[in-house]
Amino acid sequence: MSDVLAEFFKRYTKTAPSDGEYVGEDGLFYCKKCNTPTQCRIRVGGMERVVSCMCRCRKEDQEAYERKLEETTRLNRIMSLKATGIQEKALLDWTFDKANDSQIIRTAKKYADNWTDAKTNNLGLLLWGDVGTGKSFAAACIANELLDRGVPVLMTNFSKILNQMGAMYSEERYRYIASLSAFDLLIIDDLGIERNTDYALEQVYAVIDERYKAGKPLIVTTNLTIGEIKNAEDVFHARIYSRILELCTPVQVRGKDRRTEIGQDKQNLVKELVGGR
């Protein structure tokens, strides 16, 4: 054994137990709390040496600390993903555990539960139907479920995307559109509410086409009918809708207008409040 190594063992080997330790029958130090060794014997350079080691309770404390640190890191990552991925804070409350049972919620839940396959096979959804039937709610449930698992998701709409592009130069617009592919899932809410200028439609197509080339899933919600989507009024819309249908399986969302029901409930509450005075 080298002189340096011998000096190391001499300097760092404990010669007396601490307050929380005692000397066992084998001459090693033991933890008074868990009665497991805080020292162990190893062979170095053909000679046996005594070195410090972690007792059972210290190992458990260390493992608990690492689990807590890992969980804190995971939660911080989720918070960061949600801050970026959910642009309307009200949507953070739209989750499966707050949803009433319905066909679209069951479909959305299955999609989230089978996300790995959906991502691998680039499977998207086109949720179409009347206003207020729960398309956006179902899409937000998927977004929040996946974000809670640490999956990067962005839920936005083309009006916001076009506003964010603003007066960007062409190269800046290209980089911005390409950056959307950093998200494993892109959700475009309310397709059809964006401006119908040639410039706007060109950018809408660019976003959809970039998603297509990236090979990543897309979910779109719209109040347009499947007939309007398949029989577009002009070439600009036709190529946008054609790309979407290549990426997304159409799912009709049926039901009553939830917004009307909520509005009626509020009116009834006001009548009760006013009538009670």
Side-chain angles (χ1 to χ4, degrees):
M1 181 183 298
S2 70
D3 293 340
V4 173
L5 196 56
E7 179 62 26
F8 172 84
F9 281 112
K10 180 179 178 181
R11 178 175 298 184
Y12 292 101
T13 299
K14 293 170 59 175
T15 58
S18 64
D19 291 340
E21 298 173 322
Y22 65 90
V23 180
E25 294 180 358
D26 55 4
L28 299 176
F29 299 163
Y30 281 71
C31 172
K32 289 181 179 180
K33 183 178 178 180
C34 64
N35 296 311
T36 58
T38 59
Q39 289 183 324
C40 58
R41 291 187 173 91
I42 62 172
R43 296 194 67 81
V44 179
M47 297 184 65
E48 187 178 81
R49 293 288 175 174
V50 174
V51 296
S52 296
C53 60
M54 279 196 280
C55 63
R56 185 178 61 226
C57 65
R58 189 175 174 188
K59 284 181 182 177
E60 291 172 352
D61 288 344
Q62 179 67 23
E63 290 169 356
Y65 170 78
E66 291 175 355
R67 286 195 300 270
K68 184 177 180 180
L69 183 61
E70 183 179 344
E71 179 64 9
T72 299
T73 302
R74 187 185 73 84
L75 292 176
N76 286 339
R77 171 174 163 75
I78 289 172
M79 287 177 61
S80 177
L81 288 173
K82 286 193 172 186
T84 303
I86 302 292
Q87 298 183 342
E88 293 184 27
K89 300 311 174 189
L91 301 184
L92 291 171
D93 292 327
W94 291 8
T95 56
F96 285 122
D97 61 346
K98 296 179 181 177
N100 294 324
D101 182 54
S102 67
Q103 183 58 51
I104 184 55
I105 290 300
R106 289 193 293 271
T107 297
K109 187 70 166 61
K110 287 180 180 178
Y111 184 88
D113 289 343
N114 293 285
W115 165 246
T116 300
D117 288 339
K119 180 183 177 182
T120 300
N121 296 292
N122 189 17
L123 304 177
L125 298 174
L126 171 61
L127 307 180
W128 66 277
D130 293 335
V131 173
T133 50
K135 302 180 297 294
S136 297
F137 185 88
C141 286
I142 293 173
N144 282 304
E145 178 70 19
L146 295 181
L147 284 166
D148 282 339
R149 300 182 198 172
V151 177
V153 178
L154 174 63
M155 183 169 181
T156 186
N157 58 54
F158 279 124
S159 293
K160 287 189 178 70
I161 289 175
L162 292 170
N163 287 337
Q164 288 171 343
M165 285 183 180
M168 289 180 182
Y169 295 109
S170 58
E171 185 62 28
E172 291 177 304
R173 288 199 302 271
Y174 174 79
R175 287 198 297 268
Y176 172 75
I177 290 172
S179 73
L180 299 178
S181 294
F183 296 92
D184 288 353
L185 176 63
L186 176 63
I187 299 176
I188 300 294
D189 196 29
D190 277 343
L191 175 71
I193 66 169
E194 61 279 345
R195 299 188 299 274
N196 277 328
T197 64
D198 289 352
Y199 168 79
L201 294 175
E202 181 181 347
Q203 304 314 313
V204 168
Y205 178 77
V207 171
I208 301 297
D209 190 53
E210 185 66 24
R211 198 72 189 171
Y212 174 83
K213 289 186 288 188
K216 290 188 173 182
L218 172 71
I219 291 178
V220 175
T221 76
T222 184
N223 296 330
L224 299 170
T225 67
I226 196 65
E228 291 172 316
I229 293 170
K230 289 184 175 180
N231 301 286
E233 58 188 25
D234 55 53
V235 174
F236 282 111
H237 286 89
R239 67 175 189 156
I240 291 171
Y241 298 159
S242 176
R243 253 310 178 246
I244 290 174
L245 290 173
E246 285 185 80
L247 286 165
C248 306
T249 299
V251 176
Q252 185 175 9
V253 183
R254 298 182 175 88
K256 298 179 180 179
D257 188 339
R258 295 173 62 252
R259 298 172 193 172
T260 301
E261 291 182 348
I262 292 171
Q264 186 60 54
D265 289 342
K266 288 185 177 180
Q267 289 180 31
N268 292 337
L269 287 172
V270 170
K271 287 179 182 178
E272 291 178 9
L273 180 64
V274 173
R277 289 183 174 179

